[in-house]
Amino acid sequence: MTTLVIVESPTKARTIRNYLPSDYQVEASMGHIRDLPQSASEIPEAVKGEKWAQLGVNVEADFEPIYVVPKDKKKVVKQLKDALKNAEELVLATDEDREGESISWHLLQVLKPKIPCKRMVFHEITQEAIRDALQNCRDIDDQLVHAQETRRILDRLVGYTLSPLLWKKIAWGLSAGRVQSVSVRLLVHRERQRRAFRQGSYWDLKALLDQDNTPFESKLVTLAGTKIATGSDFDANTGQIIEGRTVRLLNEAEARDLQARLTDKTWTVTDLDERPITRKPAPPFTTSTLQQEANRKLSLSARDTMRTAQNLYEQGYITYMRTDSVHLSAQAIAAARSCVEQMYGQQYLSPKPRQYSTKSKAAQEAHEAIRPAGNTFRTPRDTGLSGRELQLYELIWKRTVASQMADSRQTHITVDLEVEDAGFRSTGKRIDFPGYLRAYVEGSDDPDAALEDQEVVLPALAVGDHPECKELEAVGHETQPPGRYTEASLVKTLESEGIGRPSTYASIIGTIIDRGYAQMQKKTLIPTFTAFAVTSLLEKHFPDLVDTSFTAKMEQTLDEISTGEAEWLPYLEKFYRGDNGLETQVREREDQIDPNEARSIELENLDVKVRIGKFGPYIEAENGDGSITASIPQDLTPSELDAEQVGVILKQKTQGPEKLGLHPETGEPIYLLIGSYGPYVQLGEVSEENKKPKRMSLPKGVNLEDVTLDMALGLLALPRTLGVHPATGGKVQAGLGRFGPYVVHNQGKEGKDYRSLKKDDDVLTISMDRALEILSQPKKSKGGSRSKSKTPLKELGEHPEDKEPVNVYEGPYGTYVKHGKTNAGLPEDLSVEEITLEKALELLAAKKSSSRSKKSKSSKSSKSSKSSKSRKSTTK
């Protein structure tokens, strides 16, 4: 007989198995084995007729959840039950947070073991941690389970009550959520600020000075005793100086006159201030700060960060990655301090061990920060990791080690100078002792910001010195609109406002993008017109649900329920069924919401209407006695839609597309058009004989007014052949695809080898030599490592037929399994952690079957077409 241990994933099972005695059997539950119904087909027959059935929660009987085992989990449940038959003890070893506690409780409810059952928890997968956990098992924490269940029910009530309303009033497939809708509103609010923004302009002077052959810069700060206006003095809504500010605003003419007046005048140092600054290292990572830094430094999305961290945890490289705590255990502090001594020396070690306290009142997840696992920390180069996993581990390692390093000591220097009635200022920074900066410098949301360890050197100066002015320049500036949210800054805002749990931010941001509420461009989240429409509806009719303070208070109540400070049932009753509860609000206000109004978006300074239609956003404008409509290109954001853009879009609709000229060989007209995917050129007109004329999108960065006939001809000729590859004899071409301009080498049976063009390369003029140079460079994967072949996210094993590997990869269209030349995408509800070789084989078999079916239909269609043509020819 054995002891059966159940964890969530196969990877975790394999790692833990190495640290347990031989009579322990470790199996994976593949995440949750049951949940609330996800579709109508999963609702039990016994309750299908109930009006609350679609919620999956019996709101009439103390909000009793209706749990079901999904079809794809029934096989897992059977396997676990079979394993249980041969066991004499059951150990539930799921993660130690609320979600993990809930999974263990559901396993207990479904498996109904008749043998002793224990709950084992640990925050790192090392031999010592696992053996220690075995000696300190406990019972399932019902309070944690209840807290998670209440949160799940509340989220279901919000989502499943409001989402159908959005389908009716705006568009099918939209969704609302307790945290999701607030997050979308934050994005929309920032975009509204950008739209309302009015640019201000100001001028100042910048001088290049020299003292003892050491050059340094200085900026104008006062004139005749009055402060010179800078960007912070402007009102973003008016573009004017904020009322009440006493500043001098220089225009270009005044700045240049001052420049001329001060040229060749004597400069004098009037004041010098040196201020010592001590900087302490940041605390070790929590879930939120890890997501922020990985986004800033590694360009990883929150979803990719959590997926990679999960892999590192399950393989035993780091501690549990869902945590609000910055606390480090004594063994972790000792391991970090040992690394500091060995790699940087005693002088870089903090005099005393540093311990950090968690500021968040609601911190309740794992009890230690994210750090390298074990009593000793493996250096990144000793792990054998590569790609994205190596990058993230190195980030965690550096942050943890730096937390036990000495302070950084710096001196900030300010020098004031005068030339006639103008006051200038120079600032410098001297690093007296780098301390923790030797190991780690915290990232910034501003990619142009100087790093904290970058010195600005000033010469030795004293009051009364007269440095020589080498150059004096008048510089113009324009104020900038508020920056859009990045994933990092959105996560930071959500956490600071107390909205949601950090462990859910990755899935929330992913949902916002997947549901079409935001687009990701240059690492920023840009809300769509749909996001504007949904936010406006919720703000007008359900203001509390998108109010940050209301949502934060709701989060606080949920945490109080988990500690027993608040009662869950009265809270749910009031929230959902009370006089002003959600159910009542939806019932009373549904008839008040006009779909035409809900689908309309009000954008100031526009005379046209913007609406959400079946095929996306469009413009509706009056045209004589009637109105005309025109689609808005997908890459055009709400803040960028102005009167000029509207004019261009409507001109095509009213006057027809712009004709650039005729094709020199065919005589066909070439048009410049704007479609839902942006501007493009088209050869010929759409007709019965020519239903799909050749089209080619404009390369990114090319403006409509810059498109010439020659450029259009070049684009329509793509892909263009550059020559023959000297090594293979294969064709080399340049083209423009979904992901931008590229060069491709046709290697015959080996397939096609693609490379994206660099920023300075032009797809219309790139030479064969340059193409060969680009093709010779190894491909760069998303994780930053260069390799001709992709590194799999997960290796599943060998295919039983040909023993070839079956692996999981990340591609441009999502996660997929690969065997040979067959790729099959993972269903949305199946994570990388849950995919098994058996499931992968099913997906691959289904894909092959589908491909054969399509080929068969195509073949039959072709034969039918030929037969039809034959019959026609014989009847003539």
Side-chain angles (χ1 to χ4, degrees):
M1 298 293 280
T2 62
T3 295
L4 176 62
V5 179
I6 301 179
V7 297
E8 299 96 319
S9 76
T11 304
K12 189 175 177 182
R14 282 196 298 270
T15 308
I16 287 176
R17 198 174 289 128
N18 296 328
Y19 303 130
L20 292 173
S22 59
D23 57 343
Y24 278 70
Q25 179 184 354
V26 187
E27 297 293 339
S29 70
M30 315 304 289
H32 273 284
I33 59 167
R34 68 175 189 171
D35 195 6
L36 301 175
Q38 298 296 315
S39 63
S41 63
E42 288 186 352
I43 298 173
E45 287 294 334
V47 299
K48 272 194 174 177
E50 303 292 343
K51 62 181 181 181
W52 46 261
Q54 52 91 19
L55 290 173
V57 177
N58 188 347
V59 295
E60 297 174 355
D62 293 345
F63 295 88
E64 180 186 356
I66 309 301
Y67 291 120
V68 297
V69 177
K71 282 183 180 179
D72 62 336
K73 290 300 174 71
K74 287 182 178 178
K75 193 171 185 179
V76 175
V77 171
K78 184 181 182 305
Q79 289 170 345
L80 293 176
K81 285 184 175 180
D82 289 343
L84 193 60
K85 292 175 184 176
N86 300 317
E88 58 185 9
E89 183 182 45
L90 174 62
V91 176
L92 300 171
T94 53
D95 292 338
E96 61 175 330
D97 57 8
R98 290 173 179 167
E99 200 73 25
E101 205 72 20
S102 177
I103 292 173
S104 281
W105 180 79
H106 281 289
L107 284 165
L108 203 59
Q109 298 298 307
V110 173
L111 298 180
K112 295 181 172 59
K114 294 181 173 60
I115 56 176
C117 177
K118 297 188 293 189
R119 174 82 169 103
M120 182 172 82
V121 294
F122 42 86
H123 74 280
E124 61 180 341
I125 304 177
T126 60
Q127 184 167 334
E128 183 182 357
I130 298 302
R131 291 186 176 178
D132 183 61
L134 270 177
Q135 300 301 316
N136 295 280
C137 290
R138 59 169 172 80
D139 293 330
I140 287 177
D141 188 329
D142 291 331
Q143 202 155 286
L144 275 183
V145 173
H146 206 78
Q148 191 276 340
E149 189 172 59
T150 306
R151 184 180 293 272
R152 183 78 181 92
I153 292 170
L154 185 65
D155 286 341
R156 172 57 69 99
L157 294 176
V158 173
Y160 275 49
T161 302
L162 286 179
S163 297
L165 184 68
L166 299 180
W167 303 344
K168 294 176 187 176
K169 303 300 181 179
I170 299 178
W172 176 260
L174 297 177
S175 67
R178 183 174 60 88
V179 179
Q180 171 194 313
S181 296
V182 178
S183 303
V184 171
R185 189 194 181 204
L186 287 172
L187 301 182
V188 169
H189 179 67
R190 182 61 56 86
E191 203 73 3
R192 286 172 179 163
Q193 290 179 318
R194 289 174 63 85
R195 188 166 182 84
F197 173 78
R198 296 293 173 265
Q199 197 171 66
S201 61
Y202 60 98
W203 284 71
D204 59 19
L205 300 185
K206 184 174 73 173
L208 178 62
L209 306 175
D210 183 271
Q211 176 78 9
D212 298 330
N213 294 321
T214 303
F216 64 102
E217 289 186 350
S218 198
K219 283 182 63 176
L220 177 69
V221 290
T222 62
L223 186 61
T226 302
K227 179 180 176 293
I228 294 296
T230 62
S232 62
D233 295 310
F234 285 82
D235 186 332
N237 296 315
T238 64
Q240 305 299 313
I241 296 295
I242 297 171
E243 190 175 347
R245 292 279 173 95
T246 305
V247 292
R248 174 76 180 272
L249 177 62
L250 293 182
N251 58 32
E252 182 177 4
E254 291 170 328
R256 296 200 183 282
D257 287 344
L258 182 62
Q259 175 191 15
R261 178 161 68 85
L262 299 182
T263 300
D264 297 330
K265 297 299 190 292
T266 301
W267 291 66
T268 305
V269 175
T270 58
D271 192 24
L272 191 149
D273 177 56
E274 290 196 2
R275 187 162 45 97
I277 299 289
T278 300
R279 302 295 297 271
K280 296 182 181 300
F285 281 129
T286 61
T287 301
S288 168
T289 54
L290 178 64
Q291 290 175 11
Q292 293 173 49
E293 280 294 85
N295 183 250
R296 293 167 185 157
K297 289 193 167 188
L298 307 179
S299 298
L300 291 182
S301 67
R303 185 183 280 174
D304 286 340
T305 298
M306 294 307 289
R307 181 182 292 161
T308 307
Q310 179 87 36
N311 291 341
L312 290 173
Y313 165 67
E314 292 184 350
Q315 294 174 74
Y317 288 104
I318 64 171
T319 54
Y320 192 52
M321 67 291 159
R322 291 186 178 91
T323 174
D324 292 339
S325 175
V326 292
H327 174 79
L328 286 178
S329 65
Q331 71 170 28
I333 291 174
R337 293 178 72 81
S338 175
C339 285
V340 175
E341 281 192 277
Q342 291 175 23
M343 303 195 69
Y344 302 103
Q346 179 72 32
Q347 71 272 29
Y348 280 92
L349 193 63
S350 63
K352 294 181 180 179
R354 294 184 191 271
Q355 188 55 274
Y356 298 85
S357 58
T358 303
K359 294 180 182 178
S360 172
K361 180 186 174 184
Q364 46 71 46
E365 304 287 1
H367 57 265
E368 194 173 2
I370 304 170
R371 62 166 177 84
N375 294 329
T376 58
F377 294 167
R378 282 173 283 187
T379 62
R381 66 171 177 269
D382 292 334
T383 60
L385 294 168
S386 62
R388 190 177 284 174
E389 289 185 347
L390 175 62
Q391 289 180 313
L392 195 64
Y393 178 83
E394 185 173 31
L395 196 65
I396 294 167
W397 185 90
K398 284 183 175 179
R399 177 94 162 208
T400 309
V401 170
S403 74
Q404 296 303 315
M405 293 179 71
D407 295 342
S408 167
R409 298 194 301 273
Q410 310 169 9
T411 300
H412 286 211
I413 307 159
T414 304
V415 178
D416 289 330
L417 304 101
E418 278 187 3
V419 50
E420 294 203 334
D421 60 345
F424 283 73
R425 179 165 293 164
S426 300
T427 57
K429 182 168 69 174
R430 183 174 67 243
I431 305 295
D432 301 311
F433 177 66
Y436 70 92
L437 295 176
R438 278 288 307 276
Y440 186 85
V441 181
E442 194 167 9
S444 168
D445 282 324
D446 179 6
D448 297 320
L451 292 175
E452 292 179 1
D453 61 348
Q454 184 177 2
E455 287 190 302
V456 179
V457 179
L458 291 178
L461 292 165
V463 173
D465 282 350
H466 301 291
E468 181 184 358
C469 181
K470 295 288 189 180
E471 186 179 322
L472 187 60
E473 179 185 4
V475 183
H477 307 271
E478 291 179 334
T479 56
Q480 299 299 312
R484 291 188 174 107
Y485 282 102
T486 62
E487 285 202 40
S489 59
L490 181 59
V491 165
K492 186 176 182 179
T493 300
L494 290 172
E495 186 182 39
S496 66
E497 294 285 348
I499 298 168
R501 305 298 312 160
S503 57
T504 65
Y505 292 158
S507 62
I508 288 165
I509 293 173
T511 300
I512 288 171
I513 296 171
D514 294 343
R515 294 296 170 90
Y517 287 127
Q519 297 175 349
M520 181 69 77
Q521 290 184 16
K522 296 180 180 177
K523 292 178 66 174
T524 63
L525 291 161
I526 305 176
T528 61
F529 290 95
T530 301
F532 269 70
V534 169
T535 298
S536 295
L537 184 150
L538 295 177
E539 284 176 331
K540 184 174 181 180
H541 297 281
F542 308 96
D544 282 350
L545 292 178
V546 287
D547 180 72
T548 51
S549 59
F550 179 85
T551 307
K553 189 175 180 182
M554 191 188 303
E555 198 71 52
Q556 183 180 343
T557 304
L558 287 170
D559 286 325
E560 288 170 354
I561 290 170
S562 73
T563 58
E565 298 173 65
E567 294 292 330
W568 70 276
L569 186 55
Y571 179 72
L572 286 180
E573 282 282 358
K574 182 181 178 182
F575 174 80
Y576 189 73
R577 295 169 63 87
D579 292 339
N580 196 36
L582 180 60
E583 182 186 41
T584 307
Q585 289 185 47
V586 171
R587 185 175 61 249
E588 291 177 350
R589 298 177 190 181
E590 183 171 350
D591 293 339
Q592 301 172 16
I593 302 173
D594 179 6
N596 287 328
E597 182 184 332
R599 295 186 186 113
S600 302
I601 304 165
E602 292 186 10
L603 297 176
E604 59 184 23
N605 302 319
L606 279 186
D607 296 330
V608 298
K609 296 175 183 176
V610 177
R611 300 190 190 277
I612 302 298
K614 186 177 180 180
F615 303 105
Y618 65 92
I619 296 167
E620 184 178 306
E622 297 301 320
N623 182 31
D625 298 330
S627 62
I628 58 169
T629 61
S631 295
I632 299 174
Q634 286 188 357
D635 60 350
L636 193 61
T637 64
S639 71
E640 296 167 337
L641 185 64
D642 54 20
E644 183 181 350
Q645 292 280 3
V646 168
V648 172
I649 294 169
L650 291 178
K651 181 182 177 183
Q652 176 179 303
K653 194 78 173 184
T654 56
Q655 301 178 19
E658 181 182 348
K659 185 176 177 180
L660 296 172
L662 301 176
H663 195 286
E665 296 175 8
T666 67
E668 293 176 282
I670 295 177
Y671 298 107
L672 177 61
L673 302 100
I674 301 175
S676 57
Y677 296 98
Y680 62 95
V681 291
Q682 176 179 299
L683 177 62
E685 298 179 359
V686 178
S687 64
E688 279 297 318
E689 296 77 23
N690 188 25
K691 291 183 179 180
K692 290 186 177 181
K694 183 164 186 180
R695 294 170 176 169
M696 187 62 67
S697 297
L698 299 189
K700 283 187 178 180
V702 174
N703 297 318
L704 287 170
E705 56 270 21
D706 296 332
V707 180
T708 63
L709 177 60
D710 286 343
M711 182 187 291
L713 289 169
L715 290 170
L716 290 167
L718 295 176
R720 65 189 185 95
T721 300
L722 304 179
V724 174
H725 198 285
T728 66
K731 192 185 293 183
V732 176
Q733 293 180 306
L736 190 61
R738 181 185 176 190
F739 302 105
Y742 65 85
V743 287
V744 58
H745 169 207
N746 192 332
Q747 302 175 101
K749 290 182 179 179
E750 295 282 328
K752 294 182 178 181
D753 187 23
Y754 289 86
R755 295 290 188 283
S756 294
L757 296 190
K758 306 301 180 186
K759 188 177 180 181
D760 297 330
D761 292 315
D762 186 343
V763 67
L764 300 179
T765 59
I766 188 169
S767 66
M768 179 65 171
D769 287 343
R770 175 59 180 155
L772 291 175
E773 181 185 345
I774 294 173
L775 287 166
S776 68
Q777 298 171 3
K779 282 185 177 178
K780 188 173 183 180
S781 69
K782 280 188 176 182
S785 62
R786 291 184 175 271
S787 170
K788 189 172 182 180
S789 60
K790 281 187 176 181
T791 302
L793 294 176
K794 189 174 183 181
E795 296 178 0
L796 300 176
E798 296 179 348
H799 197 286
E801 294 177 3
D802 58 11
K803 304 302 180 186
E804 288 296 311
V806 177
N807 295 330
V808 184
Y809 294 92
E810 183 75 40
Y813 305 104
T815 312
Y816 63 95
V817 290
K818 181 180 180 67
H819 166 242
K821 293 185 178 180
T822 303
N823 298 341
L826 262 63
E828 286 187 9
D829 60 348
L830 188 64
S831 68
V832 176
E833 294 76 33
E834 295 173 333
I835 185 70
T836 62
L837 177 60
E838 189 174 22
K839 183 64 178 176
L841 294 176
E842 290 177 12
L843 294 171
L844 291 164
K847 182 64 181 286
K848 286 182 179 178
S849 174
S850 172
S851 298
R852 283 195 293 267
S853 176
K854 286 179 181 177
K855 287 180 181 178
S856 175
K857 287 180 181 178
S858 175
S859 175
K860 287 178 181 177
S861 174
S862 176
K863 288 178 181 177
S864 174
S865 176
K866 289 178 181 178
S867 175
S868 175
K869 288 178 182 178
S870 175
R871 286 195 297 272
K872 285 180 182 179
S873 65
T874 57
T875 57
K876 285 181 180 177

